[in-house]
mmCIF file of all heavy atoms in Angstrom:
data_model
loop_
_atom_site.group_PDB
_atom_site.id
_atom_site.type_symbol
_atom_site.label_atom_id
_atom_site.label_comp_id
_atom_site.label_asym_id
_atom_site.label_seq_id
_atom_site.Cartn_x
_atom_site.Cartn_y
_atom_site.Cartn_z
ATOM 1 N N ARG A 61 14.123 -0.104 30.522
ATOM 2 C CA ARG A 61 14.983 0.618 31.463
ATOM 3 C C ARG A 61 16.444 0.248 31.224
ATOM 4 O O ARG A 61 16.782 -0.926 31.041
ATOM 5 C CB ARG A 61 14.592 0.258 32.892
ATOM 6 C CG ARG A 61 15.248 1.143 33.941
ATOM 7 C CD ARG A 61 14.657 0.837 35.308
ATOM 8 N NE ARG A 61 15.163 -0.442 35.827
ATOM 9 C CZ ARG A 61 14.693 -1.041 36.914
ATOM 10 N NH1 ARG A 61 13.668 -0.509 37.567
ATOM 11 N NH2 ARG A 61 15.208 -2.179 37.357
ATOM 12 N N GLY A 62 17.275 1.273 31.227
ATOM 13 C CA GLY A 62 18.706 1.050 31.103
ATOM 14 C C GLY A 62 19.320 0.711 32.444
ATOM 15 O O GLY A 62 18.684 0.839 33.493
ATOM 16 N N GLY A 63 20.581 0.277 32.400
ATOM 17 C CA GLY A 63 21.270 -0.085 33.622
ATOM 18 C C GLY A 63 22.301 0.945 34.030
ATOM 19 O O GLY A 63 22.419 2.012 33.424
ATOM 20 N N THR A 64 23.050 0.616 35.067
ATOM 21 C CA THR A 64 24.128 1.480 35.566
ATOM 22 C C THR A 64 25.462 0.958 35.035
ATOM 23 O O THR A 64 25.766 -0.231 35.176
ATOM 24 C CB THR A 64 24.136 1.485 37.098
ATOM 25 O OG1 THR A 64 22.860 1.942 37.571
ATOM 26 C CG2 THR A 64 25.227 2.409 37.616
ATOM 27 N N ALA A 65 26.230 1.855 34.423
ATOM 28 C CA ALA A 65 27.483 1.437 33.806
ATOM 29 C C ALA A 65 28.477 0.933 34.848
ATOM 30 O O ALA A 65 28.673 1.561 35.896
ATOM 31 C CB ALA A 65 28.091 2.601 33.025
ATOM 32 N N GLN A 66 29.071 -0.202 34.546
ATOM 33 C CA GLN A 66 30.083 -0.788 35.420
ATOM 34 C C GLN A 66 31.281 -1.169 34.552
ATOM 35 O O GLN A 66 31.142 -1.896 33.572
ATOM 36 C CB GLN A 66 29.514 -2.021 36.124
ATOM 37 C CG GLN A 66 30.503 -2.719 37.044
ATOM 38 C CD GLN A 66 29.836 -3.850 37.823
ATOM 39 O OE1 GLN A 66 28.731 -3.701 38.336
ATOM 40 N NE2 GLN A 66 30.509 -4.983 37.897
ATOM 41 N N ALA A 67 32.451 -0.670 34.924
ATOM 42 C CA ALA A 67 33.654 -0.896 34.122
ATOM 43 C C ALA A 67 34.254 -2.259 34.416
ATOM 44 O O ALA A 67 34.135 -2.792 35.523
ATOM 45 C CB ALA A 67 34.678 0.197 34.385
ATOM 46 N N PHE A 68 34.876 -2.841 33.396
ATOM 47 C CA PHE A 68 35.672 -4.053 33.554
ATOM 48 C C PHE A 68 36.876 -3.910 32.615
ATOM 49 O O PHE A 68 36.872 -3.047 31.730
ATOM 50 C CB PHE A 68 34.850 -5.309 33.234
ATOM 51 C CG PHE A 68 34.330 -5.364 31.820
ATOM 52 C CD1 PHE A 68 35.104 -5.899 30.787
ATOM 53 C CD2 PHE A 68 33.056 -4.911 31.507
ATOM 54 C CE1 PHE A 68 34.629 -5.957 29.500
ATOM 55 C CE2 PHE A 68 32.573 -4.963 30.217
ATOM 56 C CZ PHE A 68 33.358 -5.483 29.203
ATOM 57 N N PRO A 69 37.914 -4.694 32.783
ATOM 58 C CA PRO A 69 39.102 -4.552 31.931
ATOM 59 C C PRO A 69 38.745 -4.673 30.447
ATOM 60 O O PRO A 69 38.257 -5.714 30.001
ATOM 61 C CB PRO A 69 40.006 -5.708 32.375
ATOM 62 C CG PRO A 69 39.594 -5.979 33.779
ATOM 63 C CD PRO A 69 38.116 -5.728 33.822
ATOM 64 N N GLY A 70 38.923 -3.589 29.720
ATOM 65 C CA GLY A 70 38.653 -3.606 28.279
ATOM 66 C C GLY A 70 37.275 -3.158 27.880
ATOM 67 O O GLY A 70 36.919 -3.233 26.695
ATOM 68 N N GLY A 71 36.470 -2.646 28.847
ATOM 69 C CA GLY A 71 35.149 -2.190 28.452
ATOM 70 C C GLY A 71 34.266 -1.828 29.614
ATOM 71 O O GLY A 71 34.734 -1.614 30.730
ATOM 72 N N ARG A 72 32.951 -1.756 29.349
ATOM 73 C CA ARG A 72 31.977 -1.442 30.401
ATOM 74 C C ARG A 72 30.656 -2.108 30.048
ATOM 75 O O ARG A 72 30.356 -2.385 28.882
ATOM 76 C CB ARG A 72 31.787 0.069 30.543
ATOM 77 C CG ARG A 72 31.147 0.746 29.358
ATOM 78 C CD ARG A 72 30.998 2.254 29.563
ATOM 79 N NE ARG A 72 30.255 2.894 28.498
ATOM 80 C CZ ARG A 72 30.777 3.313 27.368
ATOM 81 N NH1 ARG A 72 32.078 3.171 27.133
ATOM 82 N NH2 ARG A 72 30.002 3.884 26.441
ATOM 83 N N VAL A 73 29.850 -2.363 31.072
ATOM 84 C CA VAL A 73 28.561 -2.994 30.877
ATOM 85 C C VAL A 73 27.547 -2.353 31.815
ATOM 86 O O VAL A 73 27.868 -1.997 32.950
ATOM 87 C CB VAL A 73 28.653 -4.523 31.121
ATOM 88 C CG1 VAL A 73 29.116 -4.818 32.544
ATOM 89 C CG2 VAL A 73 27.307 -5.195 30.851
ATOM 90 N N ALA A 74 26.325 -2.158 31.310
ATOM 91 C CA ALA A 74 25.248 -1.604 32.117
ATOM 92 C C ALA A 74 24.544 -2.751 32.843
ATOM 93 O O ALA A 74 24.079 -3.710 32.219
ATOM 94 C CB ALA A 74 24.259 -0.853 31.235
ATOM 95 N N VAL A 75 24.478 -2.662 34.168
ATOM 96 C CA VAL A 75 23.861 -3.721 34.968
ATOM 97 C C VAL A 75 22.645 -3.163 35.703
ATOM 98 O O VAL A 75 22.562 -1.973 35.994
ATOM 99 C CB VAL A 75 24.867 -4.307 35.974
ATOM 100 C CG1 VAL A 75 26.007 -4.996 35.248
ATOM 101 C CG2 VAL A 75 25.406 -3.212 36.901
ATOM 102 N N GLY A 76 21.709 -4.057 35.994
ATOM 103 C CA GLY A 76 20.508 -3.672 36.722
ATOM 104 C C GLY A 76 19.357 -3.259 35.836
ATOM 105 O O GLY A 76 18.261 -2.996 36.343
ATOM 106 N N GLY A 77 19.584 -3.186 34.531
ATOM 107 C CA GLY A 77 18.513 -2.797 33.620
ATOM 108 C C GLY A 77 18.039 -3.965 32.789
ATOM 109 O O GLY A 77 18.105 -5.127 33.207
ATOM 110 N N ASP A 78 17.543 -3.666 31.593
ATOM 111 C CA ASP A 78 16.956 -4.678 30.730
ATOM 112 C C ASP A 78 17.985 -5.261 29.762
ATOM 113 O O ASP A 78 18.943 -4.586 29.350
ATOM 114 C CB ASP A 78 15.800 -4.090 29.917
ATOM 115 C CG ASP A 78 14.587 -3.787 30.783
ATOM 116 O OD1 ASP A 78 14.349 -4.556 31.734
ATOM 117 O OD2 ASP A 78 13.888 -2.791 30.502
ATOM 118 N N VAL A 79 17.736 -6.511 29.388
ATOM 119 C CA VAL A 79 18.478 -7.174 28.325
ATOM 120 C C VAL A 79 17.451 -7.707 27.328
ATOM 121 O O VAL A 79 16.544 -8.455 27.697
ATOM 122 C CB VAL A 79 19.343 -8.338 28.850
ATOM 123 C CG1 VAL A 79 20.041 -9.046 27.689
ATOM 124 C CG2 VAL A 79 20.358 -7.838 29.862
ATOM 125 N N ILE A 80 17.588 -7.305 26.053
ATOM 126 C CA ILE A 80 16.673 -7.767 25.002
ATOM 127 C C ILE A 80 17.252 -9.041 24.405
ATOM 128 O O ILE A 80 18.359 -9.042 23.863
ATOM 129 C CB ILE A 80 16.487 -6.693 23.918
ATOM 130 C CG1 ILE A 80 15.931 -5.404 24.528
ATOM 131 C CG2 ILE A 80 15.568 -7.203 22.808
ATOM 132 C CD1 ILE A 80 15.910 -4.226 23.556
ATOM 133 N N THR A 81 16.496 -10.131 24.506
ATOM 134 C CA THR A 81 16.999 -11.413 24.009
ATOM 135 C C THR A 81 16.329 -11.859 22.715
ATOM 136 O O THR A 81 16.840 -12.757 22.034
ATOM 137 C CB THR A 81 16.809 -12.514 25.063
ATOM 138 O OG1 THR A 81 15.408 -12.638 25.363
ATOM 139 C CG2 THR A 81 17.575 -12.179 26.338
ATOM 140 N N ALA A 82 15.195 -11.244 22.348
ATOM 141 C CA ALA A 82 14.519 -11.613 21.107
ATOM 142 C C ALA A 82 13.592 -10.490 20.678
ATOM 143 O O ALA A 82 13.142 -9.685 21.509
ATOM 144 C CB ALA A 82 13.728 -12.912 21.276
ATOM 145 N N ILE A 83 13.312 -10.428 19.380
ATOM 146 C CA ILE A 83 12.327 -9.503 18.842
ATOM 147 C C ILE A 83 11.446 -10.271 17.864
ATOM 148 O O ILE A 83 11.941 -10.907 16.931
ATOM 149 C CB ILE A 83 12.989 -8.282 18.161
ATOM 150 C CG1 ILE A 83 11.920 -7.346 17.568
ATOM 151 C CG2 ILE A 83 14.003 -8.689 17.117
ATOM 152 C CD1 ILE A 83 12.462 -6.008 17.090
ATOM 153 N N ASP A 84 10.167 -10.273 18.120
ATOM 154 C CA ASP A 84 9.205 -11.034 17.315
ATOM 155 C C ASP A 84 9.645 -12.481 17.134
ATOM 156 O O ASP A 84 9.526 -13.058 16.041
ATOM 157 C CB ASP A 84 8.994 -10.363 15.951
ATOM 158 C CG ASP A 84 8.190 -9.079 16.063
ATOM 159 O OD1 ASP A 84 7.498 -8.888 17.079
ATOM 160 O OD2 ASP A 84 8.266 -8.254 15.132
ATOM 161 N N GLY A 85 10.182 -13.057 18.193
ATOM 162 C CA GLY A 85 10.575 -14.455 18.171
ATOM 163 C C GLY A 85 11.940 -14.738 17.601
ATOM 164 O O GLY A 85 12.413 -15.878 17.658
ATOM 165 N N GLN A 86 12.626 -13.718 17.064
ATOM 166 C CA GLN A 86 13.958 -13.902 16.500
ATOM 167 C C GLN A 86 15.024 -13.515 17.525
ATOM 168 O O GLN A 86 14.921 -12.471 18.169
ATOM 169 C CB GLN A 86 14.124 -13.048 15.248
ATOM 170 C CG GLN A 86 13.184 -13.428 14.119
ATOM 171 C CD GLN A 86 13.369 -14.864 13.663
ATOM 172 O OE1 GLN A 86 14.489 -15.301 13.406
ATOM 173 N NE2 GLN A 86 12.275 -15.600 13.584
ATOM 174 N N PRO A 87 16.077 -14.349 17.686
ATOM 175 C CA PRO A 87 17.098 -14.061 18.699
ATOM 176 C C PRO A 87 17.792 -12.719 18.453
ATOM 177 O O PRO A 87 18.003 -12.309 17.314
ATOM 178 C CB PRO A 87 18.090 -15.220 18.532
ATOM 179 C CG PRO A 87 17.334 -16.292 17.834
ATOM 180 C CD PRO A 87 16.332 -15.604 16.954
ATOM 181 N N VAL A 88 18.140 -12.062 19.531
ATOM 182 C CA VAL A 88 18.869 -10.790 19.493
ATOM 183 C C VAL A 88 20.120 -10.917 20.337
ATOM 184 O O VAL A 88 20.055 -11.328 21.493
ATOM 185 C CB VAL A 88 17.996 -9.626 20.016
ATOM 186 C CG1 VAL A 88 18.847 -8.359 20.196
ATOM 187 C CG2 VAL A 88 16.829 -9.360 19.081
ATOM 188 N N ASP A 89 21.270 -10.590 19.749
ATOM 189 C CA ASP A 89 22.516 -10.587 20.506
ATOM 190 C C ASP A 89 23.372 -9.380 20.169
ATOM 191 O O ASP A 89 24.511 -9.279 20.610
ATOM 192 C CB ASP A 89 23.307 -11.878 20.242
ATOM 193 C CG ASP A 89 24.508 -12.022 21.179
ATOM 194 O OD1 ASP A 89 24.322 -11.918 22.404
ATOM 195 O OD2 ASP A 89 25.638 -12.197 20.673
ATOM 196 N N ALA A 90 22.842 -8.475 19.368
ATOM 197 C CA ALA A 90 23.590 -7.281 18.981
ATOM 198 C C ALA A 90 22.607 -6.228 18.502
ATOM 199 O O ALA A 90 21.454 -6.535 18.165
ATOM 200 C CB ALA A 90 24.605 -7.606 17.883
ATOM 201 N N LEU A 91 23.080 -4.989 18.453
ATOM 202 C CA LEU A 91 22.235 -3.893 18.011
ATOM 203 C C LEU A 91 21.767 -4.108 16.579
ATOM 204 O O LEU A 91 20.637 -3.779 16.222
ATOM 205 C CB LEU A 91 22.995 -2.568 18.128
ATOM 206 C CG LEU A 91 22.177 -1.274 18.050
ATOM 207 C CD1 LEU A 91 21.092 -1.255 19.115
ATOM 208 C CD2 LEU A 91 23.082 -0.062 18.174
ATOM 209 N N GLU A 92 22.620 -4.700 15.732
ATOM 210 C CA GLU A 92 22.227 -4.902 14.345
ATOM 211 C C GLU A 92 21.137 -5.957 14.204
ATOM 212 O O GLU A 92 20.357 -5.922 13.250
ATOM 213 C CB GLU A 92 23.432 -5.260 13.474
ATOM 214 C CG GLU A 92 24.004 -6.629 13.719
ATOM 215 C CD GLU A 92 25.077 -6.975 12.689
ATOM 216 O OE1 GLU A 92 25.551 -6.070 11.983
ATOM 217 O OE2 GLU A 92 25.439 -8.157 12.600
ATOM 218 N N ASP A 93 21.056 -6.896 15.155
ATOM 219 C CA ASP A 93 19.943 -7.850 15.136
ATOM 220 C C ASP A 93 18.626 -7.125 15.331
ATOM 221 O O ASP A 93 17.614 -7.451 14.693
ATOM 222 C CB ASP A 93 20.118 -8.896 16.242
ATOM 223 C CG ASP A 93 21.324 -9.790 16.025
ATOM 224 O OD1 ASP A 93 21.740 -9.954 14.868
ATOM 225 O OD2 ASP A 93 21.861 -10.296 17.017
ATOM 226 N N LEU A 94 18.624 -6.145 16.219
ATOM 227 C CA LEU A 94 17.435 -5.347 16.455
ATOM 228 C C LEU A 94 17.095 -4.521 15.220
ATOM 229 O O LEU A 94 15.937 -4.454 14.781
ATOM 230 C CB LEU A 94 17.666 -4.438 17.670
ATOM 231 C CG LEU A 94 16.443 -3.915 18.419
ATOM 232 C CD1 LEU A 94 15.651 -5.049 19.029
ATOM 233 C CD2 LEU A 94 16.880 -2.932 19.493
ATOM 234 N N GLN A 95 18.112 -3.893 14.625
ATOM 235 C CA GLN A 95 17.899 -3.066 13.438
ATOM 236 C C GLN A 95 17.382 -3.894 12.272
ATOM 237 O O GLN A 95 16.538 -3.434 11.500
ATOM 238 C CB GLN A 95 19.206 -2.367 13.061
ATOM 239 C CG GLN A 95 19.641 -1.322 14.071
ATOM 240 C CD GLN A 95 21.027 -0.780 13.789
ATOM 241 O OE1 GLN A 95 21.944 -1.507 13.408
ATOM 242 N NE2 GLN A 95 21.202 0.520 13.963
#
């Protein structure tokens, strides 16, 4: 599930949804980590 976009100075972040922290045991901190 995605979150609701919330603006902050210099960007925006989706809150209230999911955060992916690992895939198959490997840490994830960016879209390219997932890819």
Side-chain angles (χ1 to χ4, degrees):
R61 191 172 74 189
T64 302
Q66 179 174 316
F68 61 87
R72 66 181 186 275
V73 60
V75 295
D78 289 325
V79 177
I80 301 172
T81 60
I83 178 170
D84 288 341
Q86 297 300 311
V88 170
D89 189 52
L91 195 57
E92 70 172 15
D93 294 335
L94 203 63
Q95 292 172 320

